[in-house]
Amino acid sequence: MTDVDVNTLSYEAALAELERTVQQLGRDVNDLADSVRLYERGLALARRCSELLKDAERRLGELAPTGKEAPAP
């Protein structure tokens, strides 16, 4: 588990750490406190990914408003 602030991570970095966190939670962890910390970190990472996706969706919506076709590349 890393001490990097979740709010500074890019989508790709947050997703990669979330995947590692889920793998760690899937292993036998003897310490309940460590399991809780991992779970909380995973929730924060999942929220960060969700926020970044929503922001990207909002920005894309601003570029191509609903009901109008996006310009061809």
Side-chain angles (χ1 to χ4, degrees), residues 19-36:
E19 290 172 346
R20 285 190 300 273
T21 301
V22 169
Q23 288 175 356
Q24 284 180 305
L25 282 169
R27 296 184 194 133
D28 289 335
V29 180
N30 294 330
D31 187 0
L32 178 61
D34 285 342
S35 294
V36 171

Side-chain angles (χ1 to χ4, degrees), residues 46-64:
R47 286 184 185 124
R48 175 67 176 163
C49 289
S50 179
E51 289 170 3
L52 290 170
L53 286 174
K54 285 178 185 176
D55 184 52
E57 184 178 66
R58 179 193 54 78
R59 290 173 40 209
L60 287 173
E62 290 172 359
L63 293 173

Side-chain angles (χ1 to χ4, degrees), residues 2 7-8 11-12 15-16 24 26-29 33 36 38-39 46 55 59 62 67 69 72:
T2 177
N7 294 317
T8 64
Y11 176 80
E12 291 79 7
L15 183 60
Q24 284 180 305
R27 296 184 194 133
D28 289 335
V29 180
V36 171
L38 279 172
Y39 182 79
D55 184 52
R59 290 173 40 209
E62 290 172 359
E69 286 189 32

